[in-house]
Amino acid sequence: MSIIYNKKIIILGSILCLVLGGLFFGLSKSSQGFDVPDIDVPDIGDIDVGNIDIGDIDIGDVPDVDVDVDVDFDVDVDYGGDISIEAIMGLLNDYYANADQLADMQFAINESGVGFSFVDINGVTQYCVNGSNEYAMVEEFINRNGNGNGNGNGGGNGGGGPGDPPIIVPDIPVVPDIIIPPAPTVDLKAGGADSVTIDYNASVNLTWTSTNASSCIASGSWSGNKGAAGTQSTGTLTSSRTYTITCMGTGSAVDSVTVQVNPPVNNPPTVSNLQVSMGDYCSSPVHYLSWTYSDPEGDSQDRFRLQIDNNSDFESLEIDRNINSSANSQAILVMDPMISGTIGYNDVYYWRIRVYDDQGGSSNWVQGSSFSTEKHRYPAISFSWSPQNPSEGEEVRFTDQSTVYGGASKTAWNWIFVNADPPTSEDQNPVIEFTSQGNNAVTLSVTDSDNYTCPSPVTVGVQESLPWWKEIIPW
């Protein structure tokens, strides 16, 4: 009968056979005074075979025999000679036994008087027979045939016939190492860094590298199949974006990078072309200040700040206007005496302007050319005439009532009469006749000693002429 066991059971059975054989051999020879030869078998180390119950063995009185079997199946037999179980196990564990060593073991066991047989099948010990009991320790061999026991010895039941022919067992194939390719890796960066912040409307390059990857695919703020390594621009960005790449191989690897985008930068407006012009001092003494506003983003002017001082350091401001307006000019009134928000006569003034756009940006202060005011007010023209309602052809007397300022005196008059005779006059108080009825214009210009001249036109209504009559003395 043949029973298939695993390797541990086979080895354990072999050990038990040898131990029992050696034990009986020692007992029998101890009574006969026979010295047991030492058998050295290579050490195969510790073998864990688990828990195996072999039942109770009654061998009677055994003098001076110590059998120690520990969990690792190290067995020592002390009966005047040593059988090295470790050496025997070494032979069996290798599956192949040297023929001379097998013969030595067979001899030692046979000398015990107990029937043990070792059958060499392709160099592997397969059977161990003790008396009428058979311990079959069989590896799972391919093409195994027959189950003869070989030639029995000792107290075996019946004479055994010739042993089975050796069974050729193929070599156990060597299982090749299983090589598992390493998992892929990927590293994605923006501008060479794991995180980056860029300006509004700017761009940055994305770069990625991978190992053990066959392909990559982009997701998030970009898309499409990508190579195992590469570079790609984000294009101009106006908001923050997150880019993700997944690379595949034996498994997959993922990496992401976020590009933060700063809020848009409001480029400041500029102010240029600062101009100063003098107004009409005769009607309204004023200076006009103007400028040109511009903005790179096309933002509108939201307000401006104008400062005027008669000191170039702007330490004692005469005017400081902060006006919410898109206007690009201001009229600065000249007065005597000065009041708040005005400037005075006969002085030099400095001015500067700063403009603001509707996004909160502002220009730098830009200073204009200085300007001077006149020495004093210009002449204030006034005149009268008599009669108030002249008729055509009637004499009319005009009287100058103009005023000059700053200690100046009147130095010249220039009269212009429409539809009158004479049509002009340089007298201070001329006499003329209107030659046409209706509204006729009269203009007087007065020049003072500082050569300031102001004209003033007035309309004079001329009536139809009265009938001509002559008194005649009656006869």
Side-chain angles (χ1 to χ4, degrees):
M1 178 177 63
S2 177
I3 303 172
I4 304 300
Y5 290 87
N6 60 29
K7 182 179 177 181
K8 292 181 179 180
I9 298 302
I10 295 169
I11 296 173
L12 178 60
S14 299
I15 294 171
L16 293 175
C17 290
L18 294 173
V19 172
L20 291 176
L23 181 61
F24 289 122
F25 176 72
L27 292 175
S28 63
K29 292 304 177 182
S30 294
S31 61
Q32 301 173 15
F34 186 86
D35 292 330
V36 179
D38 292 338
I39 300 175
D40 293 326
V41 184
D43 185 5
I44 63 171
D46 297 336
I47 301 175
D48 183 7
V49 297
N51 297 323
I52 299 176
D53 184 5
I54 61 174
D56 297 330
I57 301 174
D58 185 4
I59 59 175
D61 295 330
V62 182
D64 300 323
V65 177
D66 293 332
V67 180
D68 298 324
V69 181
D70 60 20
V71 294
D72 296 321
F73 293 96
D74 293 331
V75 181
D76 296 330
V77 179
D78 182 8
Y79 53 88
D82 294 328
I83 296 177
S84 175
I85 299 302
E86 291 82 356
I88 296 172
M89 290 299 294
L91 289 173
L92 300 178
N93 188 58
D94 290 338
Y95 284 92
Y96 298 93
N98 179 279
D100 292 336
Q101 291 172 326
L102 284 175
D104 291 340
M105 286 192 296
Q106 187 69 64
F107 171 78
I109 294 172
N110 288 343
E111 287 294 317
S112 69
V114 180
F116 279 77
S117 295
F118 287 86
V119 178
D120 179 17
I121 300 177
N122 195 28
V124 179
T125 301
Q126 295 300 315
Y127 294 112
C128 177
V129 180
N130 180 8
S132 61
N133 298 318
E134 177 178 304
Y135 296 86
M137 293 164 289
V138 184
E139 287 281 354
E140 184 177 357
F141 290 105
I142 301 174
N143 299 323
R144 172 146 187 220
N145 296 308
N147 54 8
N149 296 327
N151 292 322
N153 187 30
N157 295 329
D164 293 335
I167 298 175
I168 306 302
V169 180
D171 292 339
I172 299 174
V174 177
V175 179
D177 293 336
I178 299 176
I179 301 175
I180 301 177
T185 65
V186 63
D187 185 23
L188 175 62
K189 295 186 181 299
D194 292 326
S195 62
V196 67
T197 300
I198 62 174
D199 290 334
Y200 188 87
N201 261 344
S203 64
V204 66
N205 281 335
L206 301 173
T207 58
W208 66 96
T209 56
S210 64
T211 61
N212 309 312
S214 58
S215 63
C216 299
I217 188 169
S219 59
S221 297
W222 60 342
S223 61
N225 295 323
K226 306 297 178 184
T231 300
Q232 180 175 324
S233 174
T234 61
T236 57
L237 299 180
T238 58
S239 61
S240 298
R241 304 291 180 89
T242 297
Y243 300 85
T244 300
I245 191 167
T246 302
C247 292
M248 283 72 69
T250 303
S252 62
V254 181
D255 197 12
S256 297
V257 66
T258 297
V259 179
Q260 300 287 345
V261 178
N262 287 323
V265 176
N266 178 40
N267 293 306
T270 58
V271 60
S272 60
N273 194 31
L274 277 65
Q275 300 287 330
V276 181
S277 59
M278 188 175 71
D280 186 357
Y281 267 60
C282 293
S283 59
S284 178
V286 66
H287 286 259
Y288 295 101
L289 309 181
S290 63
W291 59 89
T292 299
Y293 167 91
S294 61
D295 188 272
E297 285 95 24
D299 300 330
S300 300
Q301 178 179 306
D302 182 64
R303 62 189 179 98
F304 65 86
R305 189 172 182 183
L306 173 66
Q307 293 180 340
I308 301 176
D309 197 355
N310 56 2
N311 294 300
S312 59
D313 57 10
F314 296 92
E315 291 293 330
S316 55
L317 296 176
E318 303 295 338
I319 293 176
D320 187 5
R321 296 179 182 177
N322 191 0
I323 300 176
N324 293 325
S325 172
S326 60
N328 60 357
S329 65
Q330 284 285 286
I332 308 301
L333 186 63
V334 182
M335 293 190 68
D336 182 20
M338 290 174 55
I339 61 174
S340 177
T342 66
I343 55 178
Y345 287 94
N346 197 27
D347 209 342
V348 177
Y349 289 96
Y350 305 88
W351 68 291
R352 62 183 183 180
I353 188 76
R354 189 176 193 176
V355 295
Y356 298 80
D357 64 21
D358 56 9
Q359 300 300 314
S362 65
S363 69
N364 295 321
W365 283 107
V366 178
Q367 187 168 331
S369 302
S370 62
F371 63 94
S372 299
T373 56
E374 300 288 45
K375 294 171 62 176
H376 51 76
R377 289 179 61 182
Y378 278 30
I381 308 302
S382 178
F383 59 88
S384 62
W385 61 92
S386 180
Q388 285 293 308
N389 298 302
S391 298
E392 180 182 352
E394 183 179 11
E395 287 186 350
V396 180
R397 180 176 294 274
F398 287 86
T399 303
D400 170 38
Q401 296 175 336
S402 301
T403 304
V404 293
Y405 300 94
S409 60
K410 300 176 184 178
T411 57
W413 296 263
N414 183 23
W415 295 87
I416 298 175
F417 303 102
V418 176
N419 298 322
D421 182 25
T424 62
S425 175
E426 294 181 352
D427 295 340
Q428 183 176 10
N429 301 306
V431 176
I432 60 101
E433 293 181 1
F434 288 102
T435 59
S436 176
Q437 62 183 8
N439 293 325
N440 295 297
V442 177
T443 301
L444 170 62
S445 296
V446 176
T447 302
D448 65 14
S449 54
D450 290 317
N451 205 33
Y452 297 154
T453 299
C454 285
S456 178
V458 174
T459 298
V460 177
V462 178
Q463 299 178 1
E464 184 179 358
S465 62
L466 295 174
W468 180 86
W469 62 275
K470 181 177 181 181
E471 184 175 359
I472 298 175
I473 300 174
W475 61 88

